[in-house]
Amino acid sequence: MFSVAVGLQSNALVPVLADVAPRVARIAVLIACGVFLANLAVGFGVVERVAGLSRFLTDPANLPDEVGTAILTTAASTTAGYGMLAEFRESGMLDDRATLVAVTINTFFGFVQHIFTFYVPVLIPILGFEVGVLYVGSRALVALGITLTGVAAGALLLSPANVDRSATVAADGGARDDDPDGPREVVTHAWHRTLPKLRRIVPRLAVVYTLVVALTRTYDLTALTDVADPLATVVGLPGASIPVIAVFALDTTAGAATIAPLVGVEFTPRQAVATMLLGGIVSFAVSTFKRSIPFQYGIWGPAFGSKVVAVNTALKIVFIGVAVAVLLAV
């Protein structure tokens, strides 16, 4: 009997592991790239060369130039940018408050990459030019508002006590070689700094993702979209917005395809965009559990990862709420 039970449990784990393994592998590769790039940027002095492009954000926020490198990296890869920030935090360059400010400033640059990979080639053609541009523009302003909030928070809340601009200690506890012998030595040293972080992060990612996938296969999270009804009623959207919000909360592309033929019939362009933005608020409950928590816990650990998730979610809800109010008031 025991062998039969073990066999059944093993069979149940197979689809879970098949879902988890590719995610963990992809994220691990991107984190490795981010941490490796962070170490290379310091070793080769890249920070000094690109700092001028981001000092308009980092200087007012009382953050070091290295954070600007991570911000620019985020525009290409959010995971790599986060990996760089994790390296700076563990090296002692940034304390928790400074890291939260840096993560907040990252928001707009994380959004930028999606403009070219999803919004322009996929969403705008589905929604049409007017609604598509209005929606993407609204999301861009939300992301920019969060980033500027991060800059303001850094100006008000950060001081030299939160940032060690002289920190050159690697996350594995080894001191940085301030005078490397050559490019090969810099690359080798950067890679040796990267390995300890991967040894810590990858097992944590695997465990958290496995638990999340197992739970989502057991429980139906779509019930969370029931909050769409009172939300739509409060803001005065048409009754047709309720099923659209529910669909949009579960899948952005499907939601866009659902609302597109209703524009001009059930919705004005502004009502359509407000409906999709509300769908984004509702989807946070699902996406936070399925993606944000595993990702943030994997990078930062549960304690600090919870703070990052809380700050990100709160700011997004507030700014999207403001965007909806403005759209429906104008």
Side-chain angles (χ1 to χ4, degrees):
M1 290 292 292
F2 177 76
S3 61
V4 172
V6 171
L8 290 174
Q9 290 178 350
S10 299
N11 290 335
L13 279 175
V14 169
V16 173
L17 295 177
D19 192 7
V20 169
R23 293 191 199 180
V24 173
R26 180 176 59 84
I27 293 175
V29 169
L30 290 172
I31 290 174
C33 291
V35 176
F36 186 59
L37 286 172
N39 289 317
L40 284 181
V42 174
F44 283 118
V46 175
V47 170
E48 290 77 8
R49 295 186 179 93
V50 302
L53 299 175
S54 56
R55 278 188 179 137
F56 68 96
L57 293 175
T58 55
D59 281 357
N62 297 315
L63 291 170
D65 293 343
E66 287 82 354
V67 173
T69 309
I71 289 172
L72 295 178
T73 300
T74 301
S77 169
T78 304
T79 307
Y82 267 78
M84 296 178 81
L85 289 177
E87 175 73 1
F88 298 149
R89 176 174 176 260
E90 293 197 17
S91 71
M93 181 182 297
L94 305 175
D95 70 359
D96 284 0
R97 180 181 295 182
T99 305
L100 280 174
V101 168
V103 168
T104 303
I105 294 174
N106 253 356
T107 303
F108 179 75
F109 296 87
F111 173 81
V112 166
Q113 62 170 294
H114 297 300
I115 293 177
F116 302 102
T117 60
F118 176 67
Y119 289 118
V120 170
V122 178
L123 213 61
I124 290 179
I126 292 175
L127 294 172
F129 183 80
E130 181 182 3
V131 176
V133 170
L134 186 59
Y135 175 73
V136 175
S138 299
R139 289 299 302 264
L141 288 175
V142 166
L144 182 60
I146 294 173
T147 288
L148 294 178
T149 298
V151 174
L156 294 172
L157 303 176
L158 297 186
S159 68
N162 304 110
V163 177
D164 183 0
R165 296 177 184 270
S166 64
T168 55
V169 179
D172 60 358
R176 171 177 165 245
D177 183 359
D178 291 323
D179 187 21
D181 295 328
R184 180 176 297 178
E185 288 74 14
V186 172
V187 173
T188 301
H189 195 46
W191 176 244
H192 286 314
R193 287 183 180 184
T194 302
L195 288 176
K197 181 171 291 297
L198 288 179
R199 294 191 187 104
R200 285 193 298 273
I201 290 178
V202 173
R204 196 160 59 198
L205 273 174
V207 171
V208 177
Y209 264 119
T210 300
L211 291 175
V212 167
V213 171
L215 285 172
T216 53
R217 287 177 180 272
T218 305
Y219 299 99
D220 183 15
L221 297 181
T222 60
L224 294 172
T225 61
D226 290 343
V227 299
D229 195 342
L231 269 177
T233 303
V234 167
V235 300
L237 287 171
S241 65
I242 296 170
V244 173
I245 290 173
V247 174
F248 199 89
L250 300 177
D251 184 84
T252 303
T253 306
T258 301
I259 201 171
L262 300 177
V263 177
V265 180
E266 297 284 349
F267 300 93
T268 67
R270 292 180 185 275
Q271 287 176 330
V273 173
T275 298
M276 290 187 288
L277 289 175
L278 281 180
I281 290 180
V282 176
S283 71
F284 288 152
V286 178
S287 64
T288 295
F289 183 77
K290 293 179 69 175
R291 291 185 288 275
S292 295
I293 288 178
F295 176 71
Q296 302 294 355
Y297 279 25
I299 288 183
W300 310 107
F304 188 69
S306 296
K307 295 179 182 178
V308 173
V309 170
V311 169
N312 281 342
T313 302
L315 287 172
K316 285 179 181 178
I317 290 176
V318 168
F319 276 91
I320 289 179
V322 171
V324 169
V326 171
L327 280 168
L328 296 179
V330 174

